[in-house]
């Protein structure tokens, strides 16, 4: 959509490629599924695919329809359905398009047994519930599932996988790795364990396949460690501009509900960005942003189409002054993780919430370093 309103999301495919390579350097013996679910975490599935097409070992998506579209677009790498199949038509697509799929419950297993033609090639990831208690076979149900697979679908290439609940936190992964080992027994086939946090912090979990997700898009999976410190590059910048300036006297209130009261005379800038653009409405006063290369803070409640910021110490900033809401923008760098933390959320939500009405600008580089 073309609009003269100044807001835009700037996407850097080269940053996605850089971050994928970082994942590969961290886990040099493993292959890596590039996780591009949720429209590549709001960055655009096709932009991510084009950035990684020449190097990704495989892609991981949620919807079967997206996997089929990737095949039709000429993607030849393995494509993993992270939640598996939901209907017979999904099973047909898995067989016809040569997709890999997760199997996490008996119902999915029955779908495969019922609809996969005899002898048809099949690659599946059997998911183990090792403590996340979200998806996966339990210690009680796993043996029966594996026995049914060996009997009914002996041609299937099987990978065992699990998902970590606290790879980024104090509990860590050792307790789940121990449960996985107990459940897997003498399994000698391929294994997939590591998400972004485990790739970066727990090398013992790298095994055969890793699954970088949020790190591909330049956000840190750790609350206490920045993306920059990890060597990640931000792949999205949300940018806008000042569209109005108000001089506010001490004691005056700002915005809906008057939730902010000026403690001194202030200059307030109004930015063309609000909750309808995907900026978190619950972001409080003090959430960081940058204007003309200088860090400042939001003021008051975020509106549907606008938010206010403090220009008191940036006297040169007026109407049309550029603003970076998050990312590496023309008005300065504001890590998405900092904005998310201030708003009591995570960068995943910021990226995925950017509204369709926000125009997207893609940074194209003349050449990409293939080293």
């Amino acid at each position: 959509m073309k609009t003269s309103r100044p807001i835009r999301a700037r996407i850097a495919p080269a940053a996605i490629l850089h971050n994928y390579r970082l994942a590969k350097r961290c886990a040099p013996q493993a292959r890596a599924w590039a996780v591009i679910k949720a429209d590549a975490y709001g960055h655009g599935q096709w932009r991510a695919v084009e950035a990684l097409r020449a190097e990704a070992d495989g892609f991981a998506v949620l919807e079967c329809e997206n996997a089929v579209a990737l095949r039709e677009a000429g993607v030849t790498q393995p494509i993993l359905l992270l939640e598996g199949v939901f209907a017979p038509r999904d099973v047909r697509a898995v067989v016809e398009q040569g997709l890999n799929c997760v199997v996490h419950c008996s119902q999915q297993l029955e779908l495969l047994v019922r609809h996969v033609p005899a002898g048809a090639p099949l690659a599946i990831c059997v998911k183990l519930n090792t403590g996340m208690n979200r998806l996966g076979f339990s210690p009680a149900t796993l043996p029966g599932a594996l026995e049914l697979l060996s009997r009914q679908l002996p041609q299937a290439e099987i990978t065992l996988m699990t998902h970590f609940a606290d790879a980024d936190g104090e509990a860590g992964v050792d307790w789940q790795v121990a449960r996985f080992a107990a459940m897997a027994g003498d399994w000698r086939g391929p294994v997939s364990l590591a998400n972004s946090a485990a790739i970066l912090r727990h090398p013992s979990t790298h095994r055969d396949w890793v699954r970088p997700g949020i790190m591909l898009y330049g956000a840190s999976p750790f609350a206490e460690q920045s993306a920059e410190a990890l060597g990640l590059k931000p792949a999205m910048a949300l940018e806008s501009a000042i569209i109005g300036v108000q001089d506010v006297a001490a004691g005056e209130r700002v915005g809906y509900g008057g939730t902010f009261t000026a403690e001194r005379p202030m200059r307030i800038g109004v930015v063309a960005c609000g909750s309808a653009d995907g900026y978190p409405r619950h972001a409080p006063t003090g959430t960081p942003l940058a204007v003309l290369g200088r860090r400042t803070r939001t003021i008051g409640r975020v509106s549907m189409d606008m938010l206010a910021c403090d220009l008191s110490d940036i006297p040169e900033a007026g109407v049309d002054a550029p603003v970076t809401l998050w990312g590496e923008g023309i008005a300065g760098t504001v890590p998405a993780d900092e904005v998310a933390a201030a708003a009591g959320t995570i960068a995943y939500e910021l990226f995925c919430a950017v509204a369709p009405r926000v125009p997207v600008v893609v940074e194209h580089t003349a050449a990409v370093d293939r080293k």
Side-chain angles (χ1 to χ4, degrees):
M1 178 180 67
K2 292 184 178 180
T3 176
S4 54
R5 188 168 178 255
I7 192 169
R8 61 189 174 273
R10 188 181 301 277
I11 306 297
I16 298 174
L17 178 58
H18 166 88
N19 297 331
Y20 181 83
R21 289 173 174 170
L22 178 61
K24 291 286 289 183
R25 288 197 299 274
C26 290
Q29 304 306 315
R31 289 182 287 176
W33 298 107
V35 180
I36 57 171
K37 64 180 180 177
D39 201 27
Y41 291 54
H43 291 68
Q45 171 180 286
W46 296 108
R47 299 180 195 107
V49 168
E50 289 310 309
L52 301 174
R53 186 189 285 261
E55 294 193 25
D57 299 314
F59 294 97
V61 299
L62 223 59
E63 301 88 356
C64 188
E65 295 77 8
N66 276 352
V68 171
L70 292 178
R71 280 283 184 258
E72 291 175 345
V75 173
T76 59
Q77 293 100 320
I79 301 172
L80 176 65
L81 298 176
L82 286 166
E83 286 184 351
V85 294
F86 296 93
R89 68 178 184 178
D90 296 342
V91 180
R92 289 192 292 271
V94 164
V95 174
E96 293 169 3
Q97 303 293 340
L99 307 177
N100 296 48
C101 72
V102 168
V103 178
H104 62 76
C105 64
S106 60
Q107 290 83 358
Q108 287 187 328
L109 189 53
E110 290 165 7
L111 267 177
L112 293 173
V113 168
R114 193 178 310 125
H115 295 286
V116 172
L122 187 64
I124 62 177
C125 290
V126 176
K127 193 161 195 175
L128 282 57
N129 177 10
T130 58
M132 180 81 164
N133 290 316
R134 193 172 64 176
L135 297 177
F137 292 97
S138 68
T141 59
L142 178 64
L146 293 177
E147 191 278 329
L148 182 62
L149 277 171
S150 66
R151 178 164 41 87
Q152 297 288 345
L153 297 169
Q155 77 277 22
E157 298 179 5
I158 299 173
T159 297
L160 295 187
M161 70 182 297
T162 196
H163 193 65
F164 294 129
D166 202 24
D168 57 329
E170 292 183 6
V173 300
D174 289 349
W175 60 286
Q176 282 187 266
V177 171
R179 290 185 182 185
F180 182 91
M183 292 176 69
D186 60 357
W187 177 258
R188 294 293 180 266
V191 167
S192 177
L193 304 178
N195 56 3
S196 291
I199 291 168
L200 293 164
R201 184 166 288 180
H202 304 287
S204 65
T205 68
H206 292 165
R207 307 295 181 91
D208 301 284
W209 281 92
V210 296
R211 306 188 303 274
I214 191 61
M215 69 178 294
L216 290 182
Y217 309 102
S220 172
F222 309 114
E224 78 287 355
Q225 193 170 15
S226 71
E228 182 180 13
L230 293 166
L232 298 168
K233 292 185 177 180
M236 177 192 290
L238 185 64
E239 302 174 324
S240 191
I242 301 295
I243 60 171
V245 178
Q246 298 290 338
D247 292 308
V248 175
E252 290 282 343
R253 299 191 300 169
V254 177
Y256 281 123
T259 58
F260 175 82
T261 301
E263 63 271 16
R264 59 186 173 90
M266 300 179 69
R267 289 183 76 237
I268 300 297
V270 179
V271 182
C273 178
S275 59
D277 298 299
Y279 197 88
R281 182 179 182 274
H282 54 276
T285 290
T287 301
L289 72 165
V291 180
L292 284 177
R294 298 178 62 183
R295 295 263 300 217
T296 185
R297 57 175 179 154
T298 63
I299 293 293
R301 186 177 293 167
V302 175
S303 304
M304 185 176 185
D305 307 306
M306 292 167 275
L307 59 83
C309 67
D310 188 355
L311 298 182
S312 301
D313 296 326
I314 315 176
E316 65 273 28
V319 171
D320 295 331
V323 176
T324 298
L325 284 310
W326 67 68
E328 198 170 273
I330 59 173
T333 297
V334 182
D337 295 316
E338 290 187 28
V339 177
T345 184
I346 54 178
Y348 304 61
E349 185 174 20
L350 297 186
F351 298 152
C352 291
V354 174
R357 78 178 191 177
V358 175
V360 175
V361 176
V362 180
E363 292 183 357
H364 296 288
T365 54
V368 176
D369 177 14
R370 292 290 174 188
K371 295 180 181 178

